[in-house]
Amino acid sequence: MILLAAGVVLTALMHLVAAVPPLKARIKQRVGEKAYGPAFGIASLAGIAIIVAGWRASGFVPVYDAPDWGRHANYLLTLIGFVCLGIFIFRGSLRQKLRFPMALAVIFWAVGHLLANGDMASLILFGGFLAYALAHAAIGTANGVRPSPEVRGGHDLVSILIGIALYGVVVQMHGALFGVPVFQLPLPQ
């Protein structure tokens, strides 16, 4: 579980850089404007790889009993999180109104998963990302961070639909991607 925690901390710290514009500017200057994006992407993928390896290596250690309704709440909260993700990706006017749609996406996703799972690995992963997202929004607000003012007209509906579509894809692929199927349908006999 140490590997999982290290991956969450590394990924969170990397992404918190965006909430502190002077720090982000210094890093961009050191790395170079053109190299920053690819370097950030590679570092993000490394953080995700560490998280996945840590998750797979973690045994099941119960911490609390998730409520019976937690699984159902997770479906709704994660759907809302994916809609926020769609709003983050497509730069419509909703992105300006929500201010931190990616942080909101992570908050909804994490809270939903914490309601559905009560084991130590889930607490580290989802609790860690919940803490990160709350910190990102708080630090970003304190530093006056706003989404880019670039707004593309008509993208609000597209962003919502894309968020719903991404949710559908991840629900279907959850078992293959993360080893935990969302729905376990009975096989026909």
Side-chain angles (χ1 to χ4, degrees):
M1 288 196 216
I2 293 172
L3 187 62
L4 175 62
V8 170
V9 169
L10 172 70
T11 303
L13 289 175
M14 264 185 346
H15 284 82
L16 281 175
V17 167
V20 185
L23 178 59
K24 183 177 179 180
R26 277 197 308 262
I27 293 172
K28 272 186 167 183
Q29 184 180 24
R30 279 189 122 181
V31 175
E33 191 75 31
K34 288 185 180 183
Y36 177 79
F40 185 82
I42 290 168
S44 295
L45 288 174
I48 291 169
I50 293 169
I51 289 170
V52 169
W55 178 266
R56 290 179 186 239
S58 298
F60 184 82
V61 178
V63 176
Y64 60 91
D65 290 327
D68 293 336
W69 50 267
R71 185 177 177 113
H72 301 291
N74 186 27
Y75 298 144
L76 176 61
L77 293 171
T78 301
L79 173 61
I80 294 168
F82 271 92
V83 169
C84 290
L85 176 63
I87 290 168
F88 172 77
I89 293 169
F90 292 91
R91 300 176 187 318
S93 62
L94 287 174
R95 189 168 193 235
Q96 290 293 321
K97 290 177 183 154
L98 291 183
R99 188 165 180 182
F100 296 104
M102 183 58 133
L104 288 172
V106 172
I107 290 167
F108 282 113
W109 167 81
V111 169
H113 281 79
L114 287 169
L115 290 172
N117 301 289
D119 62 293
M120 181 62 78
S122 294
L123 192 59
I124 291 168
L125 177 63
F126 304 116
F129 272 103
L130 175 60
Y132 148 73
L134 292 169
H136 184 93
I139 293 168
T141 299
N143 283 293
V145 173
R146 301 279 311 168
S148 70
E150 170 189 331
V151 174
R152 298 178 186 137
H155 281 219
D156 289 337
L157 179 59
V158 171
S159 66
I160 291 168
L161 293 174
I162 292 293
I164 293 169
L166 286 172
Y167 173 78
V169 169
V170 170
V171 165
Q172 294 301 312
M173 300 294 296
H174 204 273
L177 293 172
F178 309 111
V180 181
V182 174
F183 298 109
Q184 294 179 345
L185 300 175
L187 296 174
Q189 296 183 7

